[in-house]
Amino acid sequence: MMVIVPMRAALGFAATLVASSLAIEARAQDASPWQRDGHSAVRLLAGSRSGAVLLGGIAFQLQPGWKTYWRTPGDSGVPPRFDFSKSENIEAVTVLWPAPTKFDDGAGGHSLGYHDQIVLPLRIVAKNADKPVTLRADINYAVCEKLCIPVEANTEIPIASAASAEDSALFAALDTVPKPANVGDPNPLTIRDVKREGKSTVLVDVVTPDTRALSLFVEGPTPDWALPVPKLLEHSPPGVKRFAFELDGLPPGASPEGAALKLTLVGGEHSYEFNINLE
């Protein structure tokens, strides 16, 4: 933007109006219009344009008491689905998932997801860094209170700003995505050990610096694995908190031996993601 030094007060006032209009337009281009239904709203966010790897986001707003789901919904629920195939000059889009919250599903189990508002960061790879980029998304998700309602939205946004007004929101969302870790890492919050007990039970020992609320989530190697939400045992060995889950919900013909599992550990403001091969 060109900076104008006013010669007279009238010209200065006009320049201020022009600058304000341009700033409002720039902010509007960094976020698509909200797509609203009766209980939620969704829109796309565009980060700053820099190089071939770009940052974007999908922002959700939910009415009080309503929730939507994580990539693995838990004992009940419907995971969101995103189709970016109609985008222009985009090679790939990866959804980065903030750590979820565990909810009582009303049927004796737990669902996993988000409430109030959430931003899912997007890692976007452009085909050509020198050409315009437009992100288009067909979004299918469910919002639930006592009953679940399916929602469909179609939205798009160009990624063109050299300095996006949404950068701070996107980086804040990135901070809530679980960090990759390995079993035994010396983090204050970590998984010390994963082992089998009998044929069907898996035990996970967690080290935590205090008595903060802990949650552990497990996912199988493919989306058709429906493993239960691990439970924190009342009695644990000294120095650890022990979780347990059963090897239930495997697809027909699947074997747990050597299966690649993903464990997400959440405690307070910290969260980590562990990839293991089940022995």
Side-chain angles (χ1 to χ4, degrees):
M1 182 187 297
M2 182 178 295
V3 178
I4 301 174
V5 179
M7 297 296 293
R8 296 194 300 268
L11 288 178
F13 179 69
T16 300
L17 288 179
V18 170
S20 299
S21 298
L22 290 175
I24 291 170
E25 182 180 357
R27 286 195 297 271
Q29 290 176 350
D30 296 333
S32 67
W34 287 106
Q35 304 290 311
R36 300 184 182 276
D37 72 296
H39 306 285
S40 68
V42 62
R43 67 176 178 177
L44 296 177
L45 306 178
S48 297
R49 180 75 189 266
S50 176
V53 180
L54 311 171
L55 183 62
I58 304 173
F60 292 89
Q61 285 186 345
L62 303 164
Q63 284 189 346
W66 290 75
K67 61 181 181 290
T68 193
Y69 293 99
W70 191 43
R71 64 187 180 222
T72 298
D75 298 321
S76 61
V78 181
R81 294 286 182 259
F82 310 110
D83 181 358
F84 304 104
S85 62
K86 299 174 185 176
S87 301
E88 293 182 15
N89 189 31
I90 288 179
E91 182 71 30
V93 179
T94 302
V95 181
L96 306 176
W97 298 85
T101 297
K102 183 169 64 175
F103 302 96
D104 186 337
D105 67 2
H110 293 91
S111 59
L112 310 177
Y114 310 104
H115 57 83
D116 296 327
Q117 54 188 354
I118 189 69
V119 174
L120 307 183
L122 303 175
R123 182 181 183 272
I124 302 164
V125 179
K127 293 180 179 178
N128 189 322
D130 298 322
K131 292 184 178 181
V133 170
T134 299
L135 179 66
R136 295 191 177 96
D138 295 337
I139 303 170
N140 293 270
Y141 64 103
V143 289
C144 301
E145 189 187 37
K146 295 180 180 178
L147 298 175
C148 286
I149 300 173
V151 182
E152 295 183 4
N154 309 101
T155 185
E156 67 176 70
I157 191 170
I159 303 179
S161 297
S164 169
E166 299 298 334
D167 279 348
S168 60
L170 291 171
F171 285 121
L174 275 177
D175 286 341
T176 67
V177 174
K179 298 174 175 60
N182 297 309
V183 172
D185 278 355
N187 300 318
L189 176 65
T190 191
I191 292 176
R192 176 179 290 177
D193 191 25
V194 180
K195 57 189 175 184
R196 297 276 291 274
E197 184 178 71
K199 292 184 177 180
S200 62
T201 302
V202 178
L203 303 177
V204 182
D205 288 343
V206 172
V207 176
T208 179
D210 52 39
T211 57
R212 74 181 74 192
L214 283 175
S215 294
L216 182 70
F217 313 121
V218 58
E219 301 167 83
T222 57
D224 54 349
W225 284 54
L227 295 169
V229 178
K231 295 181 179 179
L232 179 61
L233 301 183
E234 184 176 349
H235 301 289
S236 300
V240 300
K241 298 289 186 181
R242 174 166 285 180
F243 287 84
F245 65 92
E246 300 299 315
L247 291 170
D248 295 332
L250 278 64
S255 171
E257 308 302 329
L261 303 185
K262 183 178 292 183
L263 299 171
T264 300
L265 178 62
V266 183
E269 297 180 354
H270 301 283
S271 58
Y272 297 92
E273 194 171 84
F274 302 78
N275 290 305
I276 68 164
N277 289 99
L278 194 62
E279 297 180 355

